[in-house]
Amino acid sequence: MWNRFATPSGMDRRHFMSHMAGASALMGSSLAMGNSLRLHADEMKKNNKSAILLWMGGGPATIDLWDLKPGTSNGGPFKPIATSGSAQICEHLPLMAKQMHNMAIVRSMSTREADHNRGRYYMHTGFVPDPNIEHPSYGSVIAHELMGQREGLTIPPFVSVGGASEGPGFLGMAWAPFAVSNNGRVRDLGSPDSLDQQRLMQRMAALNMIETGFNNQKRGSAGEDHRKILGKTLDVMTSKQMEAFKVDKEPAEVRERYGRGFGEGCLLARRLVEAGVPFVEVDLGGWDMHMNIHTTLSTTKLPELDKAMSALMEDLAQRGLLENTAVIWMGEFGRTPRINGDAGRDHWARAWSTVVGGAGIKGGIAVGATNEDGTEIASEPYSSEDLMASVCKALGISLETTFQSRSGRPMKIANGGKIITELFA
Amino acid sequence: MSSSPLKTMLRICSPRFIVTMVAGFALMVLGAVTSPIVSAATSGSPQKGGSPSVPPQVEKINTSIAATWKDYSLKPSPMEDDLKWCRRVFLNILGRIPSFEEIQEFAKDKSPNRKQLLVDRLLNDDRYTEEYAANWSTIWANVLIGRNGGMEDRSLTNREGMLKYLRDCFARNRPYNDMVYELVTATGSSKPGTENFNGATNFLAMKVNEEEGVQATSAVSRTFLGLQVQCTQCHNHPFNEWKQQKFWEFNAFFRQTKSLRRFISGTRDVAHIELVDEDFSGESRRPDKADLFYQMRNGVTKVAYPVFVDGTAIDKSGYVQQINRRQELGKLMMQSPYMDKMIVNRMWAHFMTYGFTRPIDDLGPHNPSSNPELLEELGKEFRNSSYDLKQLMTWIVLSDPYQRSSRITADNVTDDPTVGEPPRFTHFYAKQMRAEELYQSLVVATQADRKGSLEEQEQRRSNWLRQFVVAFGTDEGDETSTFNGSIPQSLMMFNGDLMKEATSLEAGSWLQRISTTAAPAAEKVQYLFAAGLARKAKPEELNTAKSLLDARKNDTAAMLQDLWWAILNSNEFIINH
């Protein structure tokens, strides 16, 4: 699997650095630029695990997807169907039903943030928003932890597909998501012919001098962050591994199987994981259905999700990637069990579901339960922190890992969440 | 303040260099062949156009902030270099860096109050009116309808209508309170050129129809009063004094308001909307006491009528003829000290990078302010100024803390808001330009993107800006920007079309004109550093330029192109410091 890091040719970072050494003699400038952080390489054993987060922006009605309440006034029109696992799911997810032996539904998520921004932040970081500190998101944390195991990865370790994800917080912009659209097209990559590469290196040397001079004046962290990004930008412009972004290189039948839009994003996620990227988030928005929810779900949203997500699961399994890849499906919260006057559902964080699988997580099960009408949980509650801790465990990341915020505050990974033990039985 | 940067500028721009600059830009500003050194030496008395003095409010800011420094045993950084301050002021007031000629104009001004004179020029000189209005209308459109407002599928918002209204406000310097009243009470059509056009309607166009005006409730209270009520929509928030009842009482003010869709004839496509106030009969169908109901978390249903945040109740009638609820709300807001504090906090944060509270639009009692007395005091002063935004801007940019260097010293290194500490304003907090500021800086300072008609230019600008907007696809229209210092931004700066244009050597381009003047190469290099970074090139930078010139086989134009690319890509360029 790791031979995927073919020896880079052309102009990658190392090549660049050696050119810079030449340019350095020419320019007489110091060239410490682009020393990317290589952390934690010590403690952990070789770890080639990755995670794909399928982010359902807007808050999906999990009562209509994964935890149906047929026959109650809250149930809505959808019927449950059997799956390849033991749990039943919505009839409008027939393709996913065949993949559920690899997935676990956590039906007792219970959180407190029912506002989009707050919920998105909390589910992405494990922390409630705090105006005085920005916590790093899932992708930044996991990329930061696993990057040390990715010698030779020259593309960004955290890719956000079709959305913006959440930021790196106090880990700094070097761990920010690299945002691309579903089709993987990266803007402004520059053409290798447009400017001769030697000239680019000379420009970079001049740029480096100005950057360094500015940072030496101690005008705050923004300047340092800027400088760290430059080397990464060159990587993106020159790395052969950028091929992974070219979804259109896939055979037509594969592309057809995944579907367009979000499906392309999922296909891109598989390609990136295959190339060694530790964390990919794929966004599917539009779940904020305050009106006519069941029509929208059955005619557009669920078919789109079903096709793409099932293709991803199937593909990962067939390629043997699933044992090393955690897949997480979640949004910022669930939706009200009670159907409102506009035939919609509003925000509901007290009782809802997430779905996880892969990387050793036990599939085919439902963990926890909600009460009869779906308004409350009827078993031990699980939080964003708990889910994140469980994902970290699946990825082989120690839950003893502690970060330090810029102010020196120690912060435990996953905010000290506890592992959802049923997922690892 | 040090005079060395001034000398620097004068040295950069030798008279010969000016005269030989291509006709038009340099000459126009600097006048005849007169050496700026000579004219600077003879000036010193106030310039034509009167001499604005430092307003007393500046002293209030200075005293209050200095007291904070003392309280926390901090020492402020030295005063910033005047030219860097000048760049700062241009960015904050006009939304772009100064052109070389504009820095030059400032640098050669020897009068003791040249800073006041500059601020006065930027705010009041006719040549800047349009740019000033364009900058502030863009900023406010982003506040009122978001960067994505009007771009959504089936949007009811007309972005151009919103901008037109705002441009008009800022061009005429409409008092802030009038603007707020109009935005909150507006009726009419959203689209320019239609009957009853009133661009102010676009603020609420998409916030009143769905979910019983919940969006209008939270947007109005947050944007203009600094009160965050959105969480109390569903439950009493543990850390917020606002209770659920207050949310729905505030919401009741919007229940007469509707966005009526006007269709393109013969289609189902919305052409624009008409914002109207109609009789509200109440959920119990008793218009003389028009009520609404909401459900508490425990399932109990409660009733609400319009009551302002300070507890003032208005008549319960839902008949517009008897009580126009939004107009009543507008009047009550005009009396609220929260309105004064909110705008002061917003403007302070705009100029000083951090406001007195975090986030800036949460002034509730649960959220402590770094400088409560100053915030209160400036709120009152602003009210007494008849809500003149230009005066408020003047107080801030002429204040001591705004003029401090962005260099952090050993004596104020603990004043670091990036780690979560409350800001103490001991130094200017450097921050990256907004996408709009970068664009405008490249357009004005390097004359990129000047092709085509004004409409075409505006279209290109809007397309360019849109590439960075990511909508989260929620009803609230939440969004974020990828113009945040991450790799996509950097790729755009390295390779994007706009940058290609800014560094183009095509005939007639800015860089080409500089490269073809008769000045020595070293002077041209200085010109680039002055235009891009408002400073002189350092010796090692001149050496680099020399090496580049060798590498380019003595092609000066190509060397300048390389250097300009490096300057524009630098942290020093894109970070307002």
Side-chain angles (χ1 to χ4, degrees), chain B residues 313-467:
Chain B
I314 62 162
D315 193 292
K316 292 171 181 165
S317 169
Y319 290 115
V320 178
Q321 285 303 329
Q322 289 174 357
I323 290 284
N324 181 311
R325 289 190 173 183
R326 276 198 295 153
Q327 286 179 10
E328 294 303 314
L329 173 63
K331 288 180 209 157
L332 289 163
M333 286 172 69
M334 296 304 106
Q335 305 305 318
S336 173
Y338 277 110
M339 183 176 84
D340 311 346
K341 286 196 282 186
M342 183 59 232
I343 180 63
V344 165
N345 204 31
R346 184 182 297 286
M347 296 297 277
W348 184 270
H350 172 85
F351 287 97
M352 306 293 293
T353 307
Y354 290 92
F356 297 117
T357 63
R358 269 197 261 190
I360 61 160
D361 50 7
D362 186 358
L363 300 178
H366 59 281
N367 192 25
S369 150
S370 62
N371 302 66
E373 296 88 11
L374 181 56
L375 178 56
E376 192 92 34
E377 187 70 14
L378 282 175
K380 284 184 193 146
E381 290 289 349
F382 182 54
R383 181 176 285 255
N384 292 339
S385 79
S386 304
Y387 294 99
D388 181 348
L389 287 165
K390 289 185 175 177
Q391 284 195 46
L392 179 55
M393 292 180 201
T394 306
W395 306 339
I396 298 174
V397 298
L398 292 179
S399 75
D400 180 300
Y402 184 82
Q403 297 181 56
R404 294 284 164 179
S405 171
S406 54
R407 286 177 187 243
I408 299 162
T409 70
D411 294 325
N412 61 39
V413 69
T414 54
D415 174 20
D416 186 357
T418 67
V419 307
E421 293 296 322
R424 302 297 173 204
F425 309 106
T426 55
H427 53 273
F428 183 80
Y429 305 119
K431 70 169 165 188
Q432 189 190 282
M433 290 181 195
R434 291 176 289 118
E436 292 88 348
E437 290 171 336
L438 172 73
Y439 192 90
Q440 226 44 39
S441 293
L442 291 179
V443 167
V444 174
T446 84
Q447 304 180 351
D449 196 45
R450 281 288 172 93
K451 289 177 194 149
S453 68
L454 281 177
E455 287 76 27
E456 285 164 348
Q457 287 176 25
E458 178 51 35
Q459 189 56 46
R460 275 201 302 275
R461 174 175 175 274
S462 145
N463 288 343
W464 185 87
L465 289 170
R466 277 182 73 176
Q467 69 180 303

Side-chain angles (χ1 to χ4, degrees), chain A residues 15-38:
Chain A
H15 204 152
F16 161 67
M17 291 309 286
S18 64
H19 269 264
M20 287 293 272
S24 163
L26 175 76
M27 304 294 180
S29 66
S30 89
L31 287 161
M33 180 165 58
N35 263 348
S36 82
L37 300 162
R38 300 271 185 239

Side-chain angles (χ1 to χ4, degrees), chain B residues 300-311:
Chain B
V300 175
T301 298
K302 298 191 82 172
V303 66
Y305 301 97
V307 180
F308 191 60
V309 295
D310 61 2

Side-chain angles (χ1 to χ4, degrees), chain A residues 348-370:
Chain A
W348 193 253
R350 292 165 95 175
W352 58 292
S353 304
T354 56
V355 182
V356 285
I361 292 170
K362 185 177 179 186
I365 56 169
V367 175
T370 47

Side-chain angles (χ1 to χ4, degrees), chain A residues 49 322-324 357-362 394 423-424:
Chain A
K49 293 195 160 64
L322 192 57
E323 60 189 277
N324 283 316
I361 292 170
K362 185 177 179 186
L423 294 175
F424 302 96

Side-chain angles (χ1 to χ4, degrees), chain B residues 35-36 115 133 150 318 480 489:
Chain B
S35 158
K115 285 187 170 178
T480 188
Q489 174 189 320

Side-chain angles (χ1 to χ4, degrees), chain A residues 115-357:
Chain A
D115 167 76
H116 289 293
N117 284 319
R118 295 181 63 90
R120 181 168 51 242
Y121 186 94
Y122 170 63
M123 288 308 295
H124 270 94
T125 62
F127 289 84
V128 294
D130 174 343
N132 294 317
I133 187 168
E134 280 177 50
H135 302 93
S137 72
Y138 249 96
S140 303
V141 167
I142 288 169
H144 182 272
E145 290 309 302
L146 298 185
M147 193 56 187
Q149 311 287 317
R150 298 292 195 275
E151 293 294 323
L153 185 70
T154 50
I155 55 179
F158 172 14
V159 180
S160 167
V161 181
S165 187
E166 283 282 314
F170 57 73
L171 291 180
M173 285 314 288
W175 300 100
F178 179 58
V180 295
S181 48
N182 280 319
N183 62 16
R185 197 172 73 85
V186 180
R187 280 173 199 262
D188 299 327
L189 273 179
S191 139
D193 310 325
S194 65
L195 183 70
D196 102 72
Q197 293 185 337
Q198 197 186 355
R199 191 173 176 194
L200 175 61
M201 294 311 133
Q202 289 159 348
R203 285 182 172 191
M204 288 302 291
L207 169 57
N208 187 45
M209 170 178 306
I210 301 171
E211 293 269 323
T212 311
F214 185 73
N215 286 336
N216 287 343
Q217 295 172 359
K218 295 197 168 49
R219 294 185 192 261
S221 53
E224 297 289 348
D225 273 351
H226 186 272
R227 192 157 174 275
K228 283 180 196 161
I229 294 298
L230 294 178
K232 291 174 187 290
T233 303
L234 268 187
D235 282 348
V236 165
M237 284 165 61
T238 54
S239 170
K240 286 284 170 203
Q241 294 167 12
M242 288 299 287
E243 281 295 303
F245 285 90
K246 294 183 178 157
V247 186
D248 52 9
K249 292 277 162 74
E250 290 286 327
E253 63 272 20
V254 175
R255 304 192 70 196
E256 181 46 41
R257 170 69 183 90
Y258 275 86
R260 291 299 145 107
F262 175 64
E264 268 182 312
C266 288
L267 178 53
L268 175 57
R270 191 220 79 210
R271 287 178 62 89
L272 292 170
V273 164
E274 226 170 8
V277 174
F279 195 95
V280 186
E281 173 170 333
V282 191
D283 282 30
L284 177 60
W287 294 91
D288 197 16
M289 301 172 190
H290 291 278
M291 293 191 294
N292 301 325
I293 185 166
H294 295 103
T295 317
T296 315
L297 282 176
S298 62
T299 57
T300 60
K301 214 43 135 188
L302 295 184
E304 185 181 14
L305 172 70
D306 191 40
K307 188 174 171 71
M309 187 176 174
S310 64
L312 176 65
M313 293 309 298
E314 189 176 53
D315 203 5
L316 287 174
Q318 279 172 4
R319 288 168 183 257
L321 291 166
L322 192 57
E323 60 189 277
N324 283 316
T325 308
V327 178
I328 309 129
W329 179 99
M330 66 180 185
E332 53 262 51
F333 38 66
R335 305 196 77 81
T336 42
R338 192 176 71 90
I339 297 166
N340 69 23
D342 297 324
R345 296 186 192 268
D346 305 317
H347 306 173
W348 193 253
R350 292 165 95 175
W352 58 292
S353 304
T354 56
V355 182
V356 285

